[in-house]
Amino acid sequence: MLIDHYPMLGLRIRTPRVELRLPLAEDLAELADLAAEGIHDPAATPFLVPWTDQPPAERARSVVQYHWLRRGTSTPQDWSLLLGVFLDGTAVGQQDIGAHDFAITREVTTGSWLGLRYQGQGIGTQMRAAVLHLAFAELGAEEAVSGALDHNAASLGVSRKLGYQPDGIQRHVVRGAVAAQVRLRLTRARWERHRTVPVTVEGLAPCLPHFGISDDQVR
């Protein structure tokens, strides 16, 4: 079976409302359709790389291709998980988590998107809390970093709720104009103080080599 060769396919992260897992073929098609429907108001992109400016069909195809790319290029020294987010079995968005030299740095990065019709319902908090639990409680992370453009109030609000603190401003060029990204950092101690979402993880043990760590390095 494929899972015998790629155990990440068996990883499940669950909160009371959502399940996160690597999308299978039909799941990926569902995520692509969701992206084609729209992720944000076209007037202001929340992404440093404005991939959602593409026509719907190209936007959908880019979701599929990016999943294939990152799954194929992920290594224990430079890994990433592009997890589908499922609400009652329906794909509602994507939650990413990744790291460089995690066994040494113990630092992860996160990013995400949510289908437009599923925003404003608290799902964003649940999905971020899920991967933070994976990082801190299961993999032994010490810090998590993220970032959002300064006009992305929803993402910044989730970060504040989960305990992140500002970590500086970085200037980028987005759509040919200057855009300010607010960098954010969450320490293990602050994660412990702000965690409120129950999370369970299934199928992690055979995946540990993917993250560049062994069982005795987790904690």
Side-chain angles (χ1 to χ4, degrees):
M1 295 180 66
L2 185 58
I3 194 172
D4 295 329
H5 305 289
Y6 196 67
M8 300 300 296
L9 292 171
L11 182 64
R12 300 288 185 273
I13 311 168
R14 298 185 180 95
T15 76
R17 296 187 62 194
V18 298
E19 178 181 85
L20 278 64
R21 55 181 168 80
L22 286 182
L24 301 177
E26 290 306 311
D27 302 325
L28 195 49
E30 195 175 352
L31 279 173
D33 290 340
L34 187 63
E37 290 179 17
I39 298 172
H40 59 84
D41 181 345
T45 179
F47 304 114
L48 290 178
V49 177
W51 60 276
T52 48
D53 286 356
Q54 302 173 91
E58 294 179 26
R59 187 188 315 150
R61 184 166 57 250
S62 74
V63 169
V64 176
Q65 291 177 315
Y66 190 58
H67 272 262
W68 287 342
L69 173 68
R70 293 309 292 146
R71 199 174 296 186
T73 58
S74 185
T75 68
Q77 294 75 38
D78 181 12
W79 57 262
S80 62
L81 283 177
L82 276 60
L83 297 164
V85 181
F86 298 87
L87 176 67
D88 298 326
T90 299
V92 299
Q94 176 179 304
Q95 177 67 60
D96 307 345
I97 181 171
H100 295 274
D101 295 315
F102 177 74
I104 301 171
T105 67
R106 296 291 171 161
E107 179 182 277
V108 299
T109 61
T110 64
S112 65
W113 61 263
L114 195 59
L116 195 57
R117 56 194 164 108
Y118 297 106
Q119 295 175 17
Q121 302 174 36
I123 297 172
T125 299
Q126 295 262 321
M127 54 202 255
R128 183 100 66 91
V131 291
L132 290 175
H133 177 95
L134 173 68
F136 286 112
E138 305 292 340
L139 299 179
E142 293 298 329
E143 297 194 341
V145 295
S146 189
L149 295 180
D150 59 1
H151 60 73
N152 191 347
S155 179
L156 292 170
V158 168
S159 296
R160 283 194 298 270
K161 186 184 304 183
L162 294 172
Y164 287 78
Q165 292 180 300
D167 192 35
I169 300 290
Q170 189 167 355
R171 288 160 66 87
H172 297 270
V173 176
V174 179
R175 290 179 171 175
V178 173
Q181 182 193 39
V182 180
R183 296 198 306 263
L184 300 155
R185 184 171 295 272
L186 178 65
T187 64
R188 170 180 283 274
R190 288 187 61 81
W191 169 73
E192 290 278 7
R193 290 200 297 272
H194 288 81
R195 59 189 299 199
T196 59
V197 178
V199 180
T200 60
V201 177
E202 174 186 317
L204 177 62
C207 302
L208 291 178
H210 172 97
F211 301 109
I213 57 176
S214 58
D215 189 60
D216 60 357
Q217 291 177 302
V218 170
R219 294 178 179 85

